[in-house]
Amino acid sequence: MQPVSLPSLPLPLTGRPGQAAFCAGVADANPTPLSLLDDPQEWPAFSRPMAGQPDCWESSVVFDGMHCAACALTIEDALKRVPGVLSADVSAASHRGRIVWSDQAVKPSSWMQAAARAGYPAVPANDAFANDRRRVETRQALWRLGVAGLCMMQVMMYAWPAYVAEPGDMAPDMAQLLRWASWVLSLPVLLFSCAPFFRNALRDLRHRRVSMDLPVALGMAITFGVSSLGTFEPSGIFGAEVYFDSFTMFVFFLLTGRWLELRLRDRTAGALDALMNRLPDSVERRGAGGMFERVAVRRLMAGDVIRVLPGEAFPADGAILEGRTLADESLLTGESRPLPRHEGASVIAGSHNLLAPVLVQVRHTAGETRFAQIVALMENASASKPQLARLADRIARPFLLFVLLAAGGAGAFWWSHDPGHALMVAVAVLIVTCPCALSLATPAAMLASAGALARRGVLVRRLQALEALAAVDTVVFDKTGTLTRDAFALAEVHTRKGVSRDEALAMAAALARHSLHPVSRALVAAGQGVGLPQQDWIAHEVQEAAGQGVSARLCHTGSPASAVPARLGSAAFCNVMVPATDALQACLSDEQGWLATFELQEDLRPDAAATVAALAALGLQVQLLSGDRPESADRVARQAGIQVSHGGCTPQDKLAHLQRLQAQGRRVAMVGDGLNDGPVLAGAQVSFAFGQAVPLAQAQADFVVLGERLGDVAQALRAARRTLGIVRQNLWWAAIYNAVCVPLAVAGWLPAWLAGLGMALSSLLVVLNALRLSASLEPLEKT
C-alpha cells in the first residue's frame, strides 16, 4: 500500500488540506469528510482485498488516545458492534489495529466513526503525515511535562518550610500564605498538565467503562480537592495538612513516564514506520511528448516510464531502461551493501537510488509490488497479540475494578483515624496499582524483537510465533531452494583428449545461451565465472528439444564456413555413451562423437554448514526432508553436516514424518521455500519460508526470510529465546512490583508522590528492558 494522500477538503487543521480534513473528520465524527473514504477508489490507499474472501477488505489503522490494554479492548468492542465488521484486533503496545470488513454491509466511514465515538480516532497506518502528527504529540507531551516540572519545583519550595519548621517557628498567616501560593501554582498543573487524564476519564464515565486513566484521574482530583479544602478551611476536617507537593510531584512523574514511553514506543515501531513511509509522494513520469511531469505515485500504471533521481526511493517494481546506479535495499532484503543496478536490471519499490538518475519502466504498482506485500505482513504482525498479551488484556479490566474497590476499602478503613490521611491512602492505592507494566510486559518485548528482526531481513508474520519458536527442539529443512539454491553449480568437467576444459566450457556455453533450462543457465554462469570469451563461438541453426538438449552448428567468430554440428544435453540426445554416476550430467558432442561431460551438483548455500552447526550448538536436532532421490538428499545432508535425512518424500510423506516427530513430543520448526511445502509448513509448530521464492501474501509461514542468508533461521531462534527471557523478566517485575507496593499503599506507608514515581518507573523499566533486545540482536548479524 502507498502513503495515503486524500483529496483536499475545506477543513484546515495542520496546514495540509487532505490530512487535516481526515483528522478533523475522524476526531469530530463528522460524516462529511469521512464519507470520501467510502469511495471504492480510495480503499486501496489504506486497505487491501482479502484473498479468497470476495467483498472483504482488510484495513490497517492507528488509533489516537490509547494508553493501555483496556483501551484496546474498548476499541475492539466498539468496532465489533458495527454490522459488517468481521474482526478487529488492536495492539496496546503499537496502537495499531487490523480491521476486516465486508463492503456489502458497511463502509469505512461507519466503523471509523464508531472508533471516534468511543474516543479513539483512527488514521491510516501508512499515513504520509504520521511523522508530523507524532512530532505534534511529542511536543504537546513535552509542554505538559515542562509546566508540571516548573510548578512542582516552586510548590516544593513553598512546602519545604512546613516540613522543617518547629512548632511556633512559623506564624499561622505565613503558613496560610504558603498554602495559597501552592494552590495557585498547582492550578496550571491541574488545568493543563492533567487535562489528558481528566478528558479520558470523563470519556470512560460517559461510556460506562474503566481504563487506566480513570483511577489516575480520580487520584489527581482527590489530592487536589482535599488540599484545596484544607487551604479554604484550615480549621476543617481536611485542614491539618495539604498535599500540593505530592500532587505536582506524582503528576510530573506520570507525565515523565508517559513521555519516555512515547519516545520508546516510536523506537520500537521504528522499523515498521521506516519501511511503510519509504515510498515517495510523487515521481517524474514521461509523457506522450517525451517531457517529464511530476505525478502522484498512486497514478502510476504498468508500462509507464519514470525518472528516479539520486536520493529518491523507487516508487514501483520495474526494470532500468537507461543509466547505472547503486540501490539500497537494506530494509527490504536485509542486504546491508548497496547493490549495482544497470540497464535491464530489476529494481523494487521502496529501495533507494543512491548514485545517478535512471529511467525505469514500471512493471508492478500498488498492492502488486513486493514492497506492499512486505508492509502487509508487518502490519499484521504489529496488530497481532501473543497468547501472554491476550491473557494480560483479559485480566486488565477486572484488575482495574479491583483497584477501585481496594482504594475504596483502604479509604474506609483509615477514615476514622484521619479523613485526610484516608483519602491520600486511597489515592496511593489508585495510582500504584495501575496495571500499565503488566499490559506492556509481553507486547513491548515482542514488538522490539520483531522490529529488530525486520531490520535484518526476517519478517515475523505473527508475534505469537516468537513464543512457539523459543520452545522448538527440532529443525527440519527442505533441500531444494532452501539448503540449496535454485540453480545448479558445475562440479567436474571431463573432456576428450586434445580438448581443454575451457574450450569445452566455452562451446557448451555458446549453445546453452539459447536455452532457459536450469542446466543451461548453470553452464552459462560457469563460463562467465571463469571469464571465458564466449563470443569466440557462435551458434547457428539452433534447435532445442524440450527437456533433452540443444543442437546447432558451431563456428569461430568470423569463420562461418568452418561451422560444425554440435549437441548439448543428455547422453541419449547427444548419441554418446558415458559412465553411469549419481551426479547430474550434461554431455557435449560434435561430428566426431563425445567431446565433454559436465557434472553438476546442487549449489549448497555458502552458510548452510555454519547454520546447521549453530543450531546444533543451541541444542537442536536438525533433519533434512527432500522430494529428490535419497542419494542426492544424503549427499547434501553430508555437505551441510546433517545427520538425519530422508529423500524421495512426497508432500504427504513430509507431513506424515512431521506428525510422527510431534507424536514423540518434539516441537518442530520447518524451513522451506514456500512453494510446494504448504502442508508441512502449516503443520509445524513454527515455519520459515524464503521470501525470494514465493509471493509473500501466499507464504504459509510464520517467518519470512527476505534475503538469501540461511543463518537468519538461527538468528531468529536466538532472538525468540532472548525475547521470551525478557518477557518473563517483565512479568516477574510487574508481579513483584504489585506484591510489594500494594500492601505498602494500603498500610499508609506509601505517599502519593512515591506511588506516582513507582507507577511511572515500572512501566518505563518494562519498555527499557524490551529495548535491550534491539542491542542484543546486533552480534547475530555475523551468524
Side-chain angles (χ1 to χ4, degrees):
M1 293 189 296
Q2 300 173 5
V4 173
S5 179
L6 297 176
S8 297
L9 296 169
L11 289 173
L13 181 68
T14 63
R16 304 208 179 182
Q19 180 62 18
F22 180 82
C23 294
V26 174
D28 300 333
N30 185 341
T32 302
L34 279 180
S35 63
L36 292 177
L37 297 180
D38 293 340
D39 183 355
Q41 293 183 354
E42 298 292 336
W43 295 349
F46 62 97
S47 307
R48 53 187 167 269
M50 295 286 290
Q53 300 184 42
D55 306 326
C56 290
W57 291 75
E58 179 185 75
S59 298
S60 296
V61 294
V62 175
F63 294 97
D64 288 339
M66 287 185 60
H67 296 292
C68 63
C71 298
L73 294 177
T74 297
I75 299 172
E76 290 178 355
D77 292 343
L79 292 173
K80 290 176 181 177
R81 285 196 295 266
V82 178
V85 174
L86 307 180
S87 67
D89 295 299
V90 181
S91 169
S94 65
H95 296 191
R96 294 177 181 270
R98 171 181 173 271
I99 295 88
V100 178
W101 49 281
S102 170
D103 60 14
Q104 299 299 309
V106 69
K107 300 301 181 186
S109 62
S110 299
W111 54 263
M112 285 188 174
Q113 287 173 356
R117 285 193 296 269
Y120 303 95
V123 294
N126 56 344
D127 174 23
F129 305 105
N131 290 334
D132 293 342
R133 198 170 56 252
R134 189 180 297 115
R135 280 195 294 269
V136 170
E137 183 182 4
T138 303
R139 191 181 301 116
Q140 290 177 344
L142 195 58
W143 268 106
R144 291 191 174 93
L145 174 62
V147 170
L150 181 63
C151 294
M152 177 197 68
M153 290 187 289
Q154 297 300 315
V155 170
M156 286 296 298
M157 183 177 66
Y158 292 142
W160 180 252
Y163 287 110
V164 299
E166 297 292 336
D169 286 353
M170 189 164 52
D173 291 344
M174 178 57 68
Q176 187 64 11
L177 179 62
L178 293 177
R179 286 188 178 189
W180 275 105
S182 298
W183 181 82
V184 170
L185 287 169
S186 297
L187 280 177
V189 178
L190 179 75
L191 300 177
F192 178 67
S193 298
C194 298
F197 298 99
F198 290 126
R199 184 167 54 247
N200 295 338
L202 289 174
R203 177 196 63 201
D204 294 338
L205 291 175
R206 283 198 302 268
H207 292 88
R208 298 181 181 180
R209 62 173 186 248
V210 179
S211 75
M212 294 182 191
D213 281 334
L214 182 58
V216 171
L218 280 175
M220 293 174 177
I222 291 173
T223 305
F224 186 82
V226 168
S227 301
S228 297
L229 289 175
T231 301
F232 298 155
E233 296 184 17
S235 59
I237 59 173
F238 300 115
E241 189 175 359
V242 295
Y243 306 94
F244 293 117
D245 54 340
S246 294
F247 167 71
T248 54
M249 285 179 69
F250 81 70
V251 170
F252 174 75
F253 291 143
L254 289 178
L255 291 176
T256 301
R258 286 208 171 177
W259 182 75
L260 290 174
E261 283 179 33
L262 178 65
R263 296 296 303 272
L264 294 174
R265 189 184 76 230
D266 291 343
R267 283 189 56 190
T268 301
L272 179 57
D273 291 338
L275 182 65
M276 291 175 60
N277 294 317
R278 282 176 77 86
L279 288 188
D281 295 328
S282 61
V283 68
E284 293 183 356
R285 182 177 64 183
R286 188 166 67 185
M291 300 296 293
F292 286 89
E293 60 176 349
R294 187 160 288 275
V295 299
V297 167
R298 63 189 303 179
R299 297 184 181 276
L300 292 180
M301 299 178 63
D304 286 346
V305 175
I306 59 176
R307 180 166 59 193
V308 182
L309 303 177
E312 291 184 341
F314 292 98
D317 292 351
I320 294 181
L321 294 180
E322 294 181 15
R324 303 172 65 90
T325 188
L326 294 176
D328 176 12
E329 301 179 358
S330 56
L331 276 183
L332 302 173
T333 65
E335 176 57 60
S336 59
R337 295 171 300 178
L339 301 176
R341 292 291 182 258
H342 49 77
E343 292 183 12
S346 297
V347 292
I348 56 178
S351 60
H352 270 91
N353 180 14
L354 300 179
L355 189 60
V358 290
L359 295 187
V360 177
Q361 185 173 40
V362 175
R363 290 178 177 172
H364 302 291
T365 62
E368 298 177 352
T369 64
R370 187 171 186 80
F371 171 83
Q373 296 172 12
I374 293 173
V375 168
L377 293 186
M378 295 187 69
E379 285 178 342
N380 288 341
S382 66
S384 64
K385 293 184 181 180
Q387 293 299 320
L388 291 174
R390 293 182 184 274
L391 176 62
D393 287 355
R394 283 197 298 269
I395 68 174
R397 281 179 175 170
F399 189 82
L400 285 171
L401 292 174
F402 165 76
V403 167
L404 296 175
L405 293 175
F413 176 81
W414 286 98
W415 187 266
S416 59
H417 176 265
D418 181 353
H421 179 70
L423 289 177
M424 294 311 296
V425 168
V427 168
V429 174
L430 284 172
I431 296 172
V432 80
T433 53
C434 280
C436 294
L438 182 63
S439 66
L440 288 172
T442 299
M446 296 288 186
L447 283 172
S449 182
L453 286 174
R455 287 191 293 272
R456 290 157 180 79
V458 181
L459 296 187
V460 183
R461 296 193 65 187
R462 291 174 282 272
L463 291 182
Q464 55 266 35
L466 287 168
E467 298 178 39
L469 182 59
V472 160
D473 55 20
T474 303
V475 178
V476 177
F477 285 96
D478 179 47
K479 181 176 70 71
T480 306
T482 305
L483 277 176
T484 63
R485 301 182 191 272
D486 295 330
F488 293 99
L490 181 62
E492 298 288 341
V493 180
H494 304 283
T495 64
R496 188 172 62 202
K497 186 176 180 180
V499 178
S500 69
R501 180 185 187 278
D502 288 352
E503 183 180 7
L505 187 54
M507 296 174 65
L511 290 168
R513 276 183 294 172
H514 298 276
S515 171
L516 296 177
H517 192 279
V519 171
S520 298
R521 294 202 303 267
L523 291 174
V524 173
Q528 294 173 341
V530 296
L532 292 181
Q534 295 178 20
Q535 64 273 17
D536 286 353
W537 290 94
I538 298 179
H540 301 278
E541 304 174 15
V542 179
Q543 294 182 347
E544 181 176 12
Q548 299 181 52
V550 178
S551 63
R553 294 183 63 82
L554 279 179
C555 67
H556 285 284
T557 303
S559 304
S562 63
V564 296
R567 289 191 170 208
L568 174 69
S570 64
F573 178 75
C574 295
N575 300 317
V576 297
M577 297 290 294
V578 295
T581 177
D582 292 336
L584 177 64
Q585 293 180 328
C587 296
L588 177 66
S589 65
D590 60 9
E591 57 187 359
Q592 300 179 32
W594 175 79
L595 193 151
T597 298
F598 305 95
E599 292 187 0
L600 297 102
Q601 64 181 14
E602 291 179 291
D603 187 12
L604 191 71
R605 293 184 186 271
D607 60 343
T611 299
V612 172
L615 292 172
L618 292 172
L620 300 171
Q621 183 184 107
V622 183
Q623 299 187 10
L624 171 65
L625 295 181
S626 175
D628 206 347
R629 294 173 302 149
E631 297 82 2
S632 177
D634 291 341
R635 182 172 61 254
V636 171
R638 287 194 300 272
Q639 292 175 347
I642 298 175
Q643 303 299 320
V644 180
S645 65
H646 300 274
C649 298
T650 65
Q652 292 74 21
D653 294 335
K654 294 180 181 180
L655 183 59
H657 180 77
L658 179 73
Q659 291 170 342
R660 285 194 296 272
L661 290 174
Q662 292 170 334
Q664 297 170 8
R666 305 196 73 87
R667 302 189 63 82
V668 183
M670 180 69 196
V671 186
D673 62 6
L675 289 172
N676 53 10
D677 299 319
V680 69
L681 289 176
Q685 276 90 357
V686 187
S687 53
F688 289 81
F690 276 77
Q692 299 290 346
V694 64
L696 299 183
Q698 302 173 14
Q700 300 297 315
D702 301 302
F703 297 85
V704 177
V705 181
L706 297 176
E708 295 290 338
R709 296 188 301 266
L710 201 61
D712 288 338
V713 176
Q715 174 176 321
L717 194 136
R718 293 183 183 180
R721 291 185 175 181
R722 292 178 181 177
T723 300
L724 262 292
I726 294 292
V727 168
R728 294 189 185 99
Q729 292 172 14
N730 286 347
L731 291 174
W732 273 109
W733 162 251
I736 293 172
Y737 162 76
N738 282 282
V740 171
C741 292
V742 172
L744 292 176
V746 172
W749 295 343
L750 194 69
W753 67 267
L754 189 56
L757 177 61
M759 175 189 171
L761 287 180
S762 65
S763 301
L764 190 59
L765 182 63
V766 164
V767 177
L768 285 172
N769 196 31
L771 285 177
R772 289 198 303 121
L773 287 166
S774 299
S776 66
L777 287 178
E778 293 294 343
L780 295 176
E781 186 74 21
K782 302 176 183 178
T783 300

